[in-house]
Amino acid sequence: MKTVAVVLAAGSGSRMKSDVKKQYLDIGGKPLIYYSLKAFEESPVDDIVLVVSRGDIDFVRSEIVEKFGFDKVKAIVEGGLYRYHSVRLGLMAADGDYDYAFIHDGARPFLTKEIILRALDGARDYGACVVGMPVKDTIKICDEDGFAVSTPNRDRTWMIQTPQTFSFKLIKELYMRLDREEEELIAKGVNITDDAMVVEYFTDRKVKLVEGSYNNIKITTPEDIPAAEAILGIK
């Protein structure tokens, strides 16, 4: 069994309102992307493909990959306009006979070996698996004017995280299909926001949900920085 992790670090981080791209922000003395790479480096995952912003390859290679000794990073590639473009480019750069692929947002620094192993078990058993956690709050579905129209059963509502883990052959083929049919999907108003949606849209395969962690937060806005520092134990 051979596995690859596609780690996404190609976002602009506009909501962070910082001159520094969020994936390079200093958190606890390390760049944000360091923590995800470290988790995969110390896990059973065989290889890592790192997807970065345009023009950042040399910087990331010297200042992150080589500086911190991430030997499992086998390729660094530039991402695309949208997240799903970056995933496809990362999968295309995964040069190997892999059985399973992890797709992880580099802005989620609190990935653990335990989460990685649970995700891998889910992918091995079901072919398609995402990590997440049951929501703690009541969720409302609203209409276009902001009025509540329905309330899903909270017991069956999860907030989805990454990594999302799949049969490598399955997810690569589906992302190639997404690339071919992208204009048609846009015309239909289909907005692909995570990898599970690609499986859900193009196949009848069920995607298994497995437990991640409430600490597995995504760093998106300035308000997330104190939460990240608290998790790291920084006073």
Side-chain angles (χ1 to χ4, degrees):
M1 184 179 66
K2 193 173 181 182
T3 57
V4 62
V6 176
V7 179
L8 305 174
S12 63
S14 58
R15 286 177 287 180
M16 187 57 70
K17 300 177 183 178
S18 170
D19 293 335
V20 178
K21 295 175 183 176
K22 72 175 180 180
Q23 55 268 39
Y24 310 134
L25 285 173
D26 185 290
I27 305 290
K30 301 289 193 303
L32 176 62
I33 188 60
Y34 162 89
Y35 296 96
S36 296
L37 294 175
K38 183 174 184 288
F40 282 118
E41 183 77 20
E42 297 178 351
S43 79
V45 168
D46 295 288
D47 297 327
I48 301 169
V49 174
L50 182 53
V51 186
V52 301
S53 302
R54 180 171 296 181
D56 285 358
I57 289 179
D58 290 341
F59 167 79
V60 169
R61 179 179 290 112
S62 63
E63 296 302 316
I64 296 176
V65 174
E66 293 177 355
K67 180 177 180 178
F68 295 108
F70 292 129
D71 296 329
K72 289 186 179 181
V73 176
K74 303 304 181 184
I76 308 172
V77 298
E78 291 185 351
L81 181 60
Y82 297 115
R83 182 187 184 279
Y84 59 84
H85 294 141
S86 294
V87 175
R88 178 177 58 82
L89 292 167
L91 290 170
M92 289 176 62
D95 184 17
D97 187 18
Y98 298 108
D99 297 290
Y100 299 99
F102 295 81
I103 302 170
H104 184 65
D105 293 330
R108 291 187 185 272
F110 300 113
L111 180 63
T112 66
K113 181 179 179 180
E114 290 74 24
I115 294 174
I116 292 170
L117 292 175
R118 287 197 294 271
L120 180 57
D121 285 343
R124 291 172 65 181
D125 290 341
Y126 303 100
C129 165
V130 301
V131 303
M133 294 298 290
V135 300
K136 297 179 179 181
D137 301 316
T138 296
I139 301 296
K140 296 286 185 182
I141 306 299
C142 70
D143 63 18
E144 60 185 11
D145 296 317
F147 291 95
V149 295
S150 64
T151 306
N153 183 344
R154 187 170 62 184
D155 293 338
R156 295 192 177 183
T157 307
W158 283 49
M159 54 183 184
I160 298 305
Q161 304 171 347
T162 66
Q164 303 195 4
T165 311
F166 307 90
S167 156
F168 180 76
K169 180 180 179 181
L170 170 72
I171 199 64
K172 187 172 183 178
E173 287 179 351
L174 292 180
Y175 264 100
M176 296 303 105
R177 181 174 175 184
L178 173 60
D179 182 54
R180 295 192 302 269
E181 300 183 20
E182 180 180 9
E183 291 186 6
E184 180 181 339
L185 267 63
I186 292 173
K188 292 180 178 178
V190 177
N191 182 24
I192 299 294
T193 57
D194 80 340
D195 314 295
M197 284 187 67
V198 182
V199 176
E200 294 159 2
Y201 187 83
F202 287 119
T203 77
D204 58 2
R205 180 188 291 270
K206 291 184 178 180
V207 178
K208 179 66 174 178
L209 305 183
V210 299
E211 183 178 305
S213 167
Y214 287 115
N215 282 345
N216 187 23
I217 63 173
K218 187 175 183 180
I219 308 302
T220 304
T221 63
E223 294 77 15
D224 297 324
I225 299 297
E229 291 176 339
I231 294 171
L232 287 172
I234 299 172
K235 296 182 179 180

